[in-house]
Amino acid sequence: GYGYWGSKIVRVLHGLPQVESVVVVDPSPAARNRARKDWGDDQIAVEVVHWHETDAVVIACPPSLHTQWMTHALLHKKDVFVEKPCGVCLADIGAMERLRDAGVIVQVGYVYAYHPVFRWMQEHLPSVVGSCVRWVHVFRGNMGQPRQDVSVLEDLLVHDLAMALLLWGDPVEAWGEGHRYLSEREDAYVVGMRFSGGEWMVLAGSWDESNKE
């Protein structure tokens, strides 16, 4: 995909010396024209992926299509980078996990998990703070157009969920509740989690918030 995030990923890939070639696949003529203007005709495809010529796949399309493209990539034993969320239901995510062969890399675009501050937390938090961490509260708000394909949990709060799991592992207790005020998907959500070390985390998110946080 060569949309908002896909175009940025292509730019980053072109700047990596390890990457020999990048081919943009997008069924949208407008998106292909933008990619053609940015990178030239030889790096544009319509809908066909030549799997035997591909080492890895980047999936940056609407979340409803993530499962379809990830399934194709995993069946061909290709490494995958996929924008979050990697799927829109647990059954699909479980099916993709079963498809993944050992040695195949699947990376989800939880960008905050690679921020230098969070990397520092992963390295130093246990030794500096240790058992002093007891309570974490996160709020994400945005007065924007609600998504019709995913909820605010899957779009905004998923970043903080990913960081919590990387810090403390799977929770021993979790609860959540979402409400639909503006769209067909939950645009307000509250999630609580308790971890084995005694840490508590409460996350809240909304697309009906006057201040972006």
Side-chain angles (χ1 to χ4, degrees), residues 112-153:
Y112 294 106
Y114 303 95
H115 193 283
V117 173
F118 182 73
R119 289 294 183 91
W120 184 93
M121 291 173 63
Q122 284 184 291
E123 182 178 354
H124 297 286
L125 192 61
S127 59
V128 174
V129 182
S131 60
C132 294
V133 176
R134 284 291 177 260
W135 176 262
V136 177
H137 175 259
V138 175
F139 175 75
R140 287 187 182 271
N142 187 16
M143 178 62 80
Q145 183 67 32
R147 297 283 298 269
Q148 301 299 322
D149 49 357
V150 292
S151 71
V152 69
L153 172 67

Side-chain angles (χ1 to χ4, degrees), residues 82-99:
V82 58
E83 273 298 330
K84 52 83 183 171
C86 59
V88 294
C89 72
L90 287 176
D92 289 344
I93 295 172
M96 288 183 287
E97 177 62 26
R98 290 188 292 273
L99 280 176

Side-chain angles (χ1 to χ4, degrees), residues 52 57 75 89 100 120 187 196:
H52 63 285
V57 178
L75 285 173
C89 72
R100 185 173 69 90
W120 184 93
D187 43 68
S196 60

Side-chain angles (χ1 to χ4, degrees), residues 2-176:
Y2 201 74
Y4 181 80
W5 284 113
S7 60
K8 292 174 171 54
I9 294 171
V10 170
R11 175 174 52 80
V12 171
L13 291 175
H14 273 284
L16 297 177
Q18 305 93 325
V19 177
E20 296 180 0
S21 178
V22 180
V23 176
V24 175
V25 179
D26 198 307
S28 165
R32 294 199 303 274
N33 286 337
R34 289 195 302 271
R36 185 174 291 108
K37 180 180 178 181
D38 293 339
W39 307 107
D41 287 333
D42 59 337
Q43 299 192 14
I44 311 300
V46 181
E47 295 183 81
V48 177
V49 176
H50 299 290
W51 295 105
H52 63 285
E53 300 176 357
T54 302
D55 295 318
V57 178
V58 173
I59 300 171
C61 57
S64 59
L65 300 175
H66 285 184
T67 298
Q68 170 188 331
W69 280 106
M70 282 191 69
T71 299
H72 286 311
L74 294 175
L75 285 173
H76 287 85
K77 297 178 173 55
K78 303 300 180 181
D79 295 336
V80 178
F81 174 90
V82 58
E83 273 298 330
K84 52 83 183 171
C86 59
V88 294
C89 72
L90 287 176
D92 289 344
I93 295 172
M96 288 183 287
E97 177 62 26
R98 290 188 292 273
L99 280 176
R100 185 173 69 90
D101 282 3
V104 172
I105 299 171
V106 176
Q107 183 177 4
V108 184
Y110 301 131
V111 293
Y112 294 106
Y114 303 95
H115 193 283
V117 173
F118 182 73
R119 289 294 183 91
W120 184 93
M121 291 173 63
Q122 284 184 291
E123 182 178 354
H124 297 286
L125 192 61
S127 59
V128 174
V129 182
S131 60
C132 294
V133 176
R134 284 291 177 260
W135 176 262
V136 177
H137 175 259
V138 175
F139 175 75
R140 287 187 182 271
N142 187 16
M143 178 62 80
Q145 183 67 32
R147 297 283 298 269
Q148 301 299 322
D149 49 357
V150 292
S151 71
V152 69
L153 172 67
E154 298 156 319
D155 187 49
L156 294 182
L157 295 179
V158 69
H159 288 293
D160 306 293
L161 289 170
M163 289 188 286
L165 297 182
L166 288 170
L167 283 175
W168 299 311
D170 293 338
V172 297
E173 181 182 352
W175 58 268

